Amino acid sequence: MGMFGNAAGSANRLLQRGLWALMLLLSVAVPIYGSHAPLLTLCKVDGAIPFSSTSMVVLVELTKLMLSLLFLLARAREPLGAAVSWRHAVPFALSALLYAANNNLVVHMQLFMDPSTFQVLSNLKIVSTALLYSLLLRRRLGPRRWLALLLLLAAGVTYSCGGLRGPSDPSGMHLHVTPVGLLLLSVYCLISGLSAVYTEALLKTQALPLSLQNIFLYFFGVLRNLMGSLWSTTEGRFLEGFSLWVLLVVLSQALNGLIMSVVMKHSSNITRLFIISCSILVNALLSVALFNLQLTLLFFVAVACIGLAVHLYYGVT
């Protein structure tokens, strides 16, 4: 019996590793996460985004809600695992509020720094997320794993500083940020890490199916963003400026959100950080193929940092 038990345990571990490898491949290489920026560029008309970003966010949240409902109905015959009450749903309102606050911060921060500076400095949320993950969830990260996360940070900063270059781009990069911008950036990194870690804790502590938990989360997300859309002073119809490219962005972002919830439920926010970092490779290759951009030496430095980080965090025992 012991022999068969050990064999079954080994088979389960191998199956679990195989499933996680498949998920990482789908979320990075197929490109769901890394396709966001190139797809948004394809949506532009005369160099400008022709649609309301608020409308797009509402549609993304609504798509995630509908897909989660379909997933729940598909497994309707399976037990829920616990009696469901409003107490299970209410905590997800805070998650939705934190995510909404961060989205608004991103917009306001552009007034105090240029987009390139934001792209570089926003990589600091890797450190804030890892710190809050370690402190709030009491998950000890040894020196080797902290080094891996610092390498992820270095990869993000290196790539943001010029991993891609267009034919007319200047050779140097100058960062511009005000003291208020640095303060807002600190708050942004704090809320980004807090929202991710808080949501992971909720998903793991509740004995409920992930699809039901996602329904709670995205219901509050739709509600919050609909309120923001109604209060917005921008003119025009809700779907004005939408095209097939925009709908593809909505679908890719919805699938990305669902994949990230699976990662947080069954793995951790650290895995999520690695997926986000690896997605810059997909982003770069799509940008080269679609927009005739050129890879620079900094791109290959970023790739090396990510590869070493993956080896240090997952490959060394």
Side-chain angles (χ1 to χ4, degrees), residues 227-294:
M227 292 170 59
S229 178
L230 293 175
W231 289 340
S232 176
T233 57
T234 54
E235 298 179 356
R237 297 186 303 273
F238 183 78
L239 295 179
E240 184 175 350
F242 274 61
S243 63
L244 287 177
W245 286 118
V246 182
L247 296 179
L248 188 57
V249 171
V250 169
L251 181 60
S252 69
Q253 286 298 95
L255 291 175
N256 164 56
L258 293 173
I259 287 176
M260 290 300 115
S261 66
V262 174
V263 170
M264 287 192 286
K265 175 81 169 180
H266 298 291
S267 184
S268 69
N269 267 293
I270 302 300
T271 303
R272 183 182 66 88
L273 293 176
F274 274 90
I275 291 175
I276 293 172
S277 296
C278 291
S279 71
I280 68 174
L281 311 181
V282 176
N283 189 333
L285 295 177
L286 280 176
S287 297
V288 168
L290 294 174
F291 310 118
N292 198 29
L293 298 179
Q294 298 175 348

Side-chain angles (χ1 to χ4, degrees), residues 193-214:
L194 183 61
S195 59
V197 172
Y198 174 76
T199 303
E200 178 184 341
L202 269 183
L203 294 176
K204 288 181 174 177
T205 53
Q206 291 185 355
L208 294 175
L210 177 60
S211 52
L212 180 58
Q213 293 176 308
N214 279 338

Side-chain angles (χ1 to χ4, degrees), residues 13 31 66 82 89 112 131 138 144 155 161-162 164 182 248 293 308:
R13 285 192 294 271
M66 293 298 101
F112 304 98
L131 278 172
R138 298 181 181 179
R144 190 177 292 149
C161 284
L164 288 174
L182 288 175
L248 188 57
L293 298 179
L308 183 56

Side-chain angles (χ1 to χ4, degrees), residues 59-219:
L59 283 182
V60 170
E61 293 297 303
L62 189 59
T63 302
K64 289 189 285 189
L65 179 61
M66 293 298 101
L67 289 174
S68 299
L69 184 59
L70 287 176
F71 293 151
L72 183 65
L73 292 176
R75 51 164 294 171
R77 294 182 180 179
E78 299 181 24
L80 292 179
V84 181
S85 74
W86 62 269
R87 292 183 179 86
H88 291 104
V90 169
F92 287 96
L94 179 56
S95 288
L97 184 62
L98 289 171
Y99 285 128
N102 234 29
N103 291 335
N104 284 310
L105 265 178
V106 170
V107 175
H108 291 298
M109 285 163 58
Q110 308 304 318
L111 301 174
F112 304 98
M113 64 184 73
D114 59 85
S116 298
T117 301
F118 170 74
Q119 189 176 11
V120 172
L121 296 182
S122 63
N123 288 287
L124 292 171
K125 66 185 180 183
I126 293 175
V127 176
S128 65
T129 301
L131 278 172
L132 290 169
Y133 173 82
S134 179
L135 293 173
L136 299 182
L137 300 185
R138 298 181 181 179
R139 305 292 175 84
R140 184 180 178 276
L141 301 174
R144 190 177 292 149
R145 290 188 165 183
W146 274 112
L147 177 59
L149 292 169
L150 290 176
L151 283 170
L152 278 190
L153 172 62
V157 171
T158 302
Y159 177 77
S160 301
C161 284
L164 288 174
R165 181 181 300 167
S168 59
D169 288 349
S171 56
M173 180 180 183
H174 303 284
L175 302 182
H176 168 72
V177 58
T178 67
V180 175
L182 288 175
L183 177 61
L184 290 177
L185 180 76
S186 301
V187 176
Y188 165 79
C189 291
L190 176 64
I191 296 179
S192 177
L194 183 61
S195 59
V197 172
Y198 174 76
T199 303
E200 178 184 341
L202 269 183
L203 294 176
K204 288 181 174 177
T205 53
Q206 291 185 355
L208 294 175
L210 177 60
S211 52
L212 180 58
Q213 293 176 308
N214 279 338
I215 289 173
F216 295 152
L217 176 61
Y218 300 135
F219 168 78

